[in-house]
Amino acid sequence: MIIPVTASRPYDVVIERGALARAGERIRPILGDCRLGILTDDTVDALYGEALIASLAEAGYDAVKFTIPHGEESKNPENLFAFLSFLAENHLTRTDALVALGGGVVGDLCGLAAALYLRGVPFVQIPTTLLAAVDSSVGGKTAVDIPAGKNLVGAFWQPSLVICDPDTLLTLPEDTFRDGCAEVIKYGVILDGAFFERLKTPINSAETVESDLLDAAIARCVEIKRDVVNEDEFDRGLRGLLNFGHTLGHGIEKESNFTVTHGSAVAKGSVIAAKLAVELGLCGQTVVDEIVKILTDYGFDLSCPYSAEALYSAALSDKKRAGDNISLVLPETIGRCVLYKMPCADLLPLLKKVL
Ligand code: NAD
Ligand code: GLY
């Protein structure tokens, strides 16, 4: 499957089993002759580093590789500058390119390095987590974290190609795979009710991860994200819908000292958002019930032992706050969400009602 994206830089998203072994031949028509600087993490390197380098060598590419420790803590300015220095020490030039092999951490950091190195070089995303396949590898948001907050330093920099090999997802730990499912379900809730229905056959069952159902689900998410990005690349309106469950989810991650994973926090945040929508008269209780049922079937723990005050104060520091107002993504039906702007002061009493 090839899904074209027409943002400020048009590119294809290739979704194909076995694509990692053919990465070199996919890259050649896009980048031509050049040297490549690969960024990966230690876990992904051990699993797929050799296969990528072999495929690039077969297509005639000379590649150098920089490896960071796995995990969100690595998405920092120190590793960004270490990677940039590595590229310079290896004499990569403006006609060369970068390759991100890994999950969202590697993709976000490599993308930002590509935006900065020599004032911008092309890069290729090879996502190896479900979250990266359906979300972070597409759309050109790149970033690192700083002590003041996550993703606070970044740039919009679109990749030149995305190569997703669903076979690489088979080695993901169960929890990491499930985390990605929260993002997949998100696309159904915000923009595609029929897709939500199809997801009721869980894509994280042992049989489905090896079947076309997983590939089709990834493709549908990429199409939805592509349509949103084509319309609002620089996140001035519609793209905000992709944050369904995230504003409250970020608060939950923070309150739990990051012991609740991102996907799990988004799942809890999605249920709270739906309950807020009921309180505000935007939707009926069946929307909450549908979201709770599908997330429970996927194995998410939806309990939320955090106070309304704690989540409210975390929501106030979210990027979606503008002055005295905050925008929440709230469902009207399954498959249609709105950006609902409200005075920050109204949120606390509402949260107290639903928690
Ligand atoms: P991640 O990159 O940390 O990967 C999760 C874990 O899975 C890591 O330990 C990694 O080593 C391991 N892993 C990766 N691929 C594997 C594989 N195939 N088999 C076994 N293990 C594997 O996390 P993530 O969930 O992929 O991404 C989260 C990041 O993405 C966050 O930093 C978030 O801010 C960012 N993000 C960005 C966007 C965007 O639009 N740019 C969107 C959503 C999330
Ligand atoms: N993941 C949110 C976005 O790409 O806008």
Side-chain angles (χ1 to χ4, degrees):
M1 257 166 295
I2 296 184
I3 299 171
V5 182
T6 51
S8 49
R9 174 185 297 132
Y11 55 95
D12 285 342
V13 180
V14 177
I15 302 163
E16 182 183 70
R17 301 251 170 189
L20 181 68
R22 293 187 285 277
E25 71 187 69
R26 285 280 181 199
I27 289 173
R28 186 149 278 285
I30 310 295
L31 297 180
D33 251 341
C34 65
R35 292 179 68 226
L36 297 170
I38 301 169
L39 182 72
T40 189
D41 74 30
D42 53 353
T43 304
V44 178
D45 187 29
L47 290 163
Y48 302 114
E50 239 173 70
L52 174 62
I53 289 184
S55 152
L56 295 176
E58 213 170 295
Y61 282 112
D62 168 31
V64 290
K65 183 180 70 186
F66 190 80
T67 306
I68 56 174
H70 64 276
E72 184 69 30
E73 311 73 50
S74 277
K75 210 175 95 174
N76 61 45
E78 291 74 26
N79 281 337
L80 172 68
F81 279 91
F83 182 44
L84 291 170
S85 300
F86 171 83
L87 298 173
E89 282 154 15
N90 281 281
H91 311 291
L92 268 85
T93 69
R94 205 169 263 166
T95 52
D96 296 327
L98 309 188
V99 178
L101 174 71
V105 163
V106 163
D108 279 12
L109 199 157
C110 187
L112 184 55
L116 295 173
Y117 188 63
L118 304 175
R119 300 197 181 87
V121 293
F123 85 114
V124 174
Q125 288 266 22
I126 307 185
T128 63
T129 64
L130 182 58
L131 178 142
V134 301
D135 195 350
S136 60
S137 65
V138 180
K141 278 192 183 176
T142 75
V144 291
D145 307 331
I146 57 174
K150 240 174 87 86
N151 294 329
L152 289 189
V153 177
F156 288 98
W157 192 252
Q158 300 291 340
S160 297
L161 177 67
V162 181
I163 302 171
C164 170
D165 179 350
D167 277 343
T168 61
L169 308 183
L170 301 181
T171 51
L172 284 171
E174 201 182 323
D175 288 0
T176 315
F177 194 93
R178 184 169 40 239
D179 268 8
C181 292
E183 305 288 351
V184 173
I185 292 165
K186 168 191 87 177
Y187 286 107
V189 176
I190 60 174
L191 284 162
D192 189 344
F195 180 48
F196 183 91
E197 282 303 309
R198 291 203 294 281
L199 290 172
K200 288 180 178 173
T201 304
I203 59 163
N204 61 343
S205 71
E207 309 79 56
T208 324
V209 290
E210 300 215 36
S211 79
D212 291 351
L213 275 181
L214 175 61
D215 306 31
I218 295 170
R220 184 63 196 130
C221 296
V222 170
E223 281 171 352
I224 296 173
K225 181 148 189 189
R226 180 268 317 270
D227 292 346
V228 170
V229 169
N230 282 354
E231 205 161 305
D232 180 25
E233 179 175 351
F234 298 107
D235 205 2
R236 298 199 172 103
L238 182 72
R239 193 164 176 169
L241 290 184
L242 300 177
N243 289 315
F244 176 65
H246 284 61
T247 300
L248 296 157
H250 288 153
I252 291 166
E253 274 182 284
K254 208 165 150 188
E255 274 309 295
S256 74
N257 276 326
F258 295 89
T259 55
V260 174
T261 61
H262 178 72
S264 224
V266 167
K268 293 173 199 286
S270 303
V271 174
I272 301 171
K275 287 181 177 172
L276 291 175
V278 173
E279 281 301 320
L280 290 162
L282 294 175
C283 70
Q285 178 63 28
T286 49
V287 171
V288 177
D289 297 342
E290 287 261 22
I291 293 174
V292 168
K293 166 100 178 66
I294 197 166
L295 291 170
T296 306
D297 289 348
Y298 273 76
F300 286 104
D301 165 13
L302 299 175
S303 62
C304 186
Y306 310 103
S307 70
E309 285 80 5
L311 295 193
Y312 173 69
S313 106
L316 291 191
S317 57
D318 191 86
K319 289 202 281 298
K320 296 301 154 205
R321 176 186 172 195
D324 292 335
N325 291 306
I326 186 157
S327 284
L328 294 178
V329 185
L330 301 179
E332 291 184 330
T333 59
I334 297 292
R336 194 175 70 234
C337 280
V338 289
L339 277 167
Y340 190 92
K341 193 167 156 183
M342 65 165 91
C344 294
D346 292 356
L347 183 58
L348 181 59
L350 276 172
L351 281 173
K352 282 185 174 162
K353 276 193 189 163
V354 303
L355 281 173

